[in-house]
Amino acid sequence: MFAMPAQRALISGITGQDGSYLAEFLLEKGYEVHGIVRRVAIEDPEHRLTRLDGIRSRIKLHAASLESYASIHQVVARAEPHECYHLAAQSFVSYSFDDEFSTLNANINGTHYLLAAVKNIVPRCRFYFAGSSEMFGKAEEVPQTERTRFHPRSTYGISKVAGFELTRNYREAYGMHASSGILFNHESPRRGYEFVTRKITSGVARILAGRSKELRLGNLDAQRDWGHAREYVQGMWLMLQQDEPDDYVIATGETHTVREFAEKSFAHAGLDYRDYVVPDPDLFRPAEVNMLLGDANKAKAKLGWSHRIGFEALVREMVDADCRAAGVEPRVHASAS
Ligand code: NDP
Ligand code: GDR
C-alpha cells in the first residue's frame, strides 16, 4: 500500500491572524504547508513569528518580498503548490490613508506577481484571493451580496477591488481555478492590536491591570459584521475544494456598532465603558465606511459554510484572552461589581 502524497499549500501572509489559523487548519487536514514571509521575519522569529509558535517545526517558510516578482517566482517554483492562499497585504485601512502609495504597490502588485507566478509555473494550482467587505465601502444596499456594486472608500479598498478584478481576469483569461472570498471583519485573540476590537479588549485588560486609565477611540457609531477568524479560514479552504472557481461573501449576517463592542467588552470585565472610553477626533478617518452587513447565503448553499460563533462569544473570548495575558481575571471584577 502506498500513502497518497500530501497536498501542498502555499500561504502568503502566514504570519498574520488568518494565515496562522489557516496553516493550523490545513496541517490538521494533512497538507504540507509552505508559507511566504519577509526575510526579517526569519531573522527575528521571537517577535515576528509568534502566531506560528505552536506549528513552526511543521511548516516550511520561504523568504520573499511582495515587491519582487523574481522572489515570488522562486518560492512558487520551490513549493510547487496545489493550492495557493494569497493573504499577505497591508491590511490596516487607517494606515492606507497615511501611505496610499505603498498600500497600492504592495497589495496590487503583490497579488499580480503571485497570480502570474502561479499561472506560469503551476497553472493547475488553485488560487484564493483575500477580498474584503471594504470593497463595498459606501454600500449601495443592505445586506451586501456577491452582486452588490463596489464603492471603496480608501486606497486599501481600492487595492482589494483591483486584486479581485485581477483574480477574476486570470480565471477568465487563463482558465485558472482562482476564487475570491469577500470576507467581512473577522477577529480573534490573534487580531493585530491596531484593529478596533483588539484595541478595545487589550485596553480593557490594561485598565483592569492598572496600567492605563482610559481608552481613546474614533468613530463609535461605525457598524461592522464581526465573525471569528478561526471559522472564516474554513470558508477559504471550502472555496478551493469546489469543481468551479467562484466568489463568495463570508459573513455572520449581524451588525453591531463599535460602541456596542466596547460596551460588551467592558461589561464582561465588570466595568462601564462610559467611564473609560474617550472620543478622539484624530482617530476618525477621512472617508469612513459607516455600515457593513453581509449576506452569506451563497456560501451556505454552495459551500455548506455558516458561522457558529456569535458576537457575544467572540467578545468574551477576546477579553478573556487579553486579561489572561495581562495576569488579571475579568470575572472576579465582574462579580465584585
Ligand atoms: P494581518 O494584518 O494579520 O496579516 C497580514 C499578513 O500580510 C502578515 O503576515 C504580514 O506579514 C503580511 N504582509 C503585509 N505586508 C506585507 C509585505 N509588504 N510583504 C510581505 N508580507 C506582507 O491580516 P489578516 O490575517 O487579518 O488578514 C489576511 C488577509 O485578509 C489580508 O489580505 C486582509 O487584507 C484580508 N482581509 C482581512 C479581514 C479581517 O477582518 N481580518 C477581512 C477581509 C479581508 P508581517 O507579519 O511580516 O507584517
Ligand atoms: P476595518 O477594521 O477598517 O473595518 O478593516 P478596524 O477594526 O480598523 O475598524 C473598524 C471600525 O472601527 C472604527 N474605529 C476605530 N478603528 C480603529 N482601528 N481604531 C480606533 O481607535 C477606532 N475607533 C473607531 C473605524 O473607523 C472603523 O469604522 C478590517 C481590516 O481587517 C481589513 O483588512 C478588512 O478588509 C476589513 O476589516 C473587512
Side-chain angles (χ1 to χ4, degrees), residues 92-320:
F92 188 30
V93 175
S94 200
Y95 181 72
S96 77
F97 289 104
D98 297 332
D99 195 346
E100 300 179 345
F101 294 92
S102 77
T103 301
L104 289 170
N105 283 340
N107 292 6
I108 301 179
N109 292 341
T111 303
H112 196 184
Y113 294 157
L114 194 52
L115 272 167
V118 166
K119 166 183 152 279
N120 291 334
I121 300 164
V122 277
R124 292 168 66 81
C125 170
R126 296 182 172 197
F127 186 90
Y128 173 83
F129 171 66
S132 161
S133 50
E134 283 294 300
M135 300 190 301
F136 298 124
K138 194 174 176 185
E140 279 185 348
E141 57 181 2
V142 180
Q144 294 88 46
T145 73
E146 294 79 6
R147 292 176 306 284
T148 303
R149 204 171 70 88
F150 296 146
H151 184 149
R153 298 270 282 169
S154 60
T155 48
Y156 170 81
I158 293 167
S159 76
K160 287 293 179 179
V161 173
F164 178 91
E165 296 296 354
L166 277 165
T167 304
R168 179 155 63 191
N169 187 242
Y170 269 62
R171 176 162 82 214
E172 293 173 356
Y174 308 117
M176 267 175 63
H177 193 297
S179 298
S180 291
I182 307 176
L183 270 55
F184 283 62
N185 298 53
H186 45 281
E187 322 293 311
S188 73
R190 298 185 193 174
R191 190 53 145 153
Y193 289 96
E194 65 273 40
F195 301 96
V196 76
T197 55
R198 188 76 194 279
K199 184 173 172 184
I200 292 170
T201 60
S202 63
V204 166
R206 263 200 322 279
I207 287 167
L208 273 186
R211 290 205 286 274
S212 185
K213 289 192 164 38
E214 63 174 35
L215 178 64
R216 304 187 85 80
L217 292 176
N219 182 8
L220 293 172
D221 297 317
Q223 288 173 263
R224 289 291 183 277
D225 179 335
W226 277 297
H228 198 300
R230 201 187 312 115
E231 296 187 331
Y232 281 40
V233 301
Q234 298 176 15
M236 300 174 184
W237 177 78
L238 284 167
M239 288 176 214
L240 298 204
Q241 309 316 306
Q242 305 307 303
D243 290 341
E244 299 299 328
D246 205 346
D247 307 317
Y248 298 88
V249 162
I250 296 285
T252 70
E254 249 186 56
T255 191
H256 297 272
T257 58
V258 171
R259 185 189 309 282
E260 268 178 277
F261 197 99
E263 187 185 341
K264 293 265 184 268
S265 301
F266 279 86
H268 182 56
L271 304 173
D272 185 333
Y273 82 101
R274 288 169 299 189
D275 296 335
Y276 302 96
V277 170
V278 178
D280 184 343
D282 286 347
L283 294 171
F284 279 63
R285 296 173 182 180
E288 175 64 290
V289 171
N290 291 320
M291 200 266 203
L292 291 171
L293 174 64
D295 173 347
N297 275 316
K298 179 176 170 185
K300 188 172 185 186
K302 299 207 167 171
L303 307 177
W305 183 92
S306 57
H307 83 289
R308 288 179 300 278
I309 304 174
F311 179 70
E312 303 228 356
L314 174 68
V315 170
R316 281 197 303 272
E317 185 183 332
M318 291 180 70
V319 173
D320 285 345

Side-chain angles (χ1 to χ4, degrees), residues 13-19 38 41 48 51 64-67 86-91 106 130-133 156 160 183-187 191 194-195:
I14 194 168
T15 58
Q17 171 188 253
D18 292 7
R38 310 185 214 226
R48 294 177 175 265
R51 293 190 182 99
S65 164
L66 277 191
E67 284 113 65
H86 178 41
L87 310 184
Q90 191 301 94
S91 75
S132 161
S133 50
Y156 170 81
K160 287 293 179 179
L183 270 55
F184 283 62
N185 298 53
H186 45 281
E187 322 293 311
R191 190 53 145 153
E194 65 273 40
F195 301 96

